[in-house]
Amino acid sequence: MSSFSNDCATHTHSRAKSYWLGALAVMPLTIAVIPWGILAGSFALEVGLTGLQSQAMSAIIFAGSAQLVALGMIKAGVGLGSILITTLLITSRHVLYAMAMRQRISPLALKWRLALGFLLTDELFAIANHGQQHKFDPWFALGGGLTFYLGWNIATFIGIVAGQNIDNLGELGLDFAIAATFIAIVVPSVTKPSVLICVLVSLVLAVVCAVLEIQSGLLIATLTGMFAGYAYASITCESVHQSDQSDQSDQSDKPAASEESK
Amino acid sequence: MMIWLTIILMAIIVFASRHVLLEPKVPIRLSKKTLTFLSYSAPAVLTAIFAPIVFVPNNQLDLSLSNPYLVCAIVATLLAWLTKNTLLTIVISMGLFFLL
């Protein structure tokens, strides 16, 4: 609604202002990721990585869940092949994020595509797709993405320093930050029965595998959950993109509207 | 050396998954069925990661209400469901967790 009245103001927005608005928008999620980053840094040391390697994980990979799961697998002595397959599975959701943002990012210059691609996390996707549908602003996304990157790496650094000085950091319950963040992302995404089936199957299997200490539990739980949701949707002929529609229609309608108003 | 190799290969996989479809020259060859299947990947992966943290703390199944992870996860679920507010859900459930 406010997009039309804001349009005049948008023109005067400098790049810097968009950048800082993006940084501001991602701030709550950046604060929420701090305990998680501390855990990533301290856990990496505990697994046996050097300080440099621990920081490099956050700086180069920049994917919290993939990092923590891989660290758990390294600790358990799982082979490189399994770690990479699991990474592929965990990161596969980003393909969908890129897909959703393709229309708006692919026309940009290569440096933008590389930068925003590198920074495309769950959190950046969340802020770039809320309230910014009217006019995708790469500076807003860059501000959000870089702020989150910085926050994640500073938290990792704190974890590395703290991990060297404090024992049993893992017992402080920092891992609840992961659970809280993922619950906050997953629960609102359950908009149709098939997603609920998918989540419940994945949940039960993940717990069963954890109790039985099955190493590939994540893989089994995730794939079975995805198949269960997909099968339920196919059998009941549930409308295919129902869950995306509320988001997608916003995305596809509003940019068009804002272009008309130019 | 093995650790560095793991880090670099993981970084390539993660970056590729985020970047490939942003390239205009990459034609989208994903069928509608594949996309539907992939649409379940985020909820399935995220759930499979958080479920053991909540239900199996310290490597032991704990379904009792004396398990703070479980209690706070239930609170987080209710908050997320009722408010749809990510920040509120995270802040209140984490605050409660560190109090317990």
Side-chain angles (χ1 to χ4, degrees):
Chain A
M1 274 319 222
S2 59
S3 73
F4 298 103
S5 53
N6 281 346
D7 259 339
C8 305
T10 325
H11 287 294
T12 57
H13 277 185
S14 61
R15 288 165 172 187
K17 192 164 181 186
S18 296
Y19 182 93
W20 289 112
L21 281 175
L24 196 66
V26 87
M27 204 49 85
L29 290 167
T30 308
I31 292 166
V33 91
I34 289 173
W36 187 355
I38 293 175
L39 183 67
S42 59
F43 187 41
L45 282 189
E46 191 190 316
V47 168
L49 275 68
T50 64
L52 185 64
Q53 288 169 335
S54 309
Q55 189 71 54
M57 272 197 119
S58 288
I60 306 174
I61 303 175
F62 186 42
S65 44
Q67 285 174 227
L68 282 173
V69 171
L71 285 171
M73 295 178 86
I74 292 171
K75 191 184 182 187
V78 176
L80 181 59
S82 304
I83 294 177
L84 295 181
I85 291 171
T86 306
T87 302
L88 189 63
L89 189 78
I90 297 175
T91 198
S92 65
R93 65 189 191 278
H94 294 114
V95 175
L96 276 180
Y97 297 164
M99 176 94 185
M101 303 187 79
R102 179 178 166 93
Q103 246 186 331
R104 287 166 288 166
I105 296 181
S106 68
L108 302 174
L110 179 66
K111 61 179 180 184
W112 278 111
R113 301 198 302 266
L114 291 173
L116 295 181
F118 180 74
L119 296 172
L120 186 55
T121 55
D122 297 293
E123 288 80 0
L124 180 62
F125 183 72
I127 66 149
N129 283 280
H130 287 134
Q132 279 292 306
Q133 298 99 335
H134 318 296
K135 204 176 201 179
F136 176 74
D137 187 335
W139 289 96
F140 179 90
L142 186 70
L146 279 182
T147 303
F148 193 71
Y149 180 79
L150 208 63
W152 175 244
N153 276 282
I154 291 172
T156 305
F157 183 72
I158 296 172
I160 294 169
V161 173
Q164 279 166 343
N165 300 306
I166 307 168
D167 283 340
N168 301 329
L169 206 62
E171 286 166 21
L172 286 179
L174 294 172
D175 47 354
F176 184 74
I178 302 170
T181 306
F182 285 177
I183 288 171
I185 294 176
V186 169
V187 171
S189 80
V190 181
T191 52
K192 49 183 182 175
S194 63
V195 181
L196 184 63
I197 303 272
C198 161
V199 165
L200 291 178
V201 168
S202 178
L203 186 140
V204 170
L205 277 176
V207 170
V208 169
C209 288
V211 172
L212 299 178
E213 295 182 18
I214 297 171
Q215 288 305 340
S216 47
L218 180 74
L219 208 72
I220 296 170
T222 303
L223 284 176
T224 315
M226 288 168 73
F227 273 115
Y230 180 76
Y232 181 88
S234 306
I235 293 166
T236 60
C237 300
E238 190 177 63
S239 74
V240 175
H241 283 300
Q242 195 186 319
S243 74
D244 297 336
Q245 254 171 18
S246 53
D247 294 345
Q248 295 288 359
S249 62
D250 279 357
Q251 287 161 19
S252 51
D253 291 344
K254 287 181 184 163
S258 73
E259 297 214 345
E260 278 164 24
S261 68
K262 265 187 227 163
Chain B
M1 233 16 246
M2 199 59 189
I3 296 288
W4 281 114
L5 185 67
T6 309
I7 292 175
I8 289 164
L9 290 177
M10 280 179 68
I12 292 170
I13 292 174
V14 170
F15 177 71
S17 76
R18 290 171 175 168
H19 177 74
V20 164
L21 288 188
L22 298 178
E23 279 304 309
K25 282 177 189 159
V26 175
I28 302 180
R29 291 207 196 87
L30 301 174
S31 69
K32 207 170 180 184
K33 282 184 177 178
T34 313
L35 280 175
T36 308
F37 181 67
L38 276 178
S39 73
Y40 294 99
S41 78
V45 171
L46 302 181
T47 303
I49 292 171
F50 85 71
I53 296 174
V54 169
F55 292 96
V56 199
N58 307 316
N59 296 320
Q60 271 194 319
L61 185 66
D62 187 352
L63 296 176
S64 71
L65 288 179
S66 59
N67 172 2
Y69 287 90
L70 185 57
V71 173
C72 295
I74 293 170
V75 170
T77 306
L78 290 174
L79 281 170
W81 185 44
L82 296 173
T83 69
K84 312 268 183 221
N85 184 327
T86 310
L87 179 66
L88 189 80
T89 303
I90 294 171
V91 169
I92 294 186
S93 62
M94 276 176 56
L96 181 67
F97 184 83
F98 287 114
L99 283 179
L100 287 179

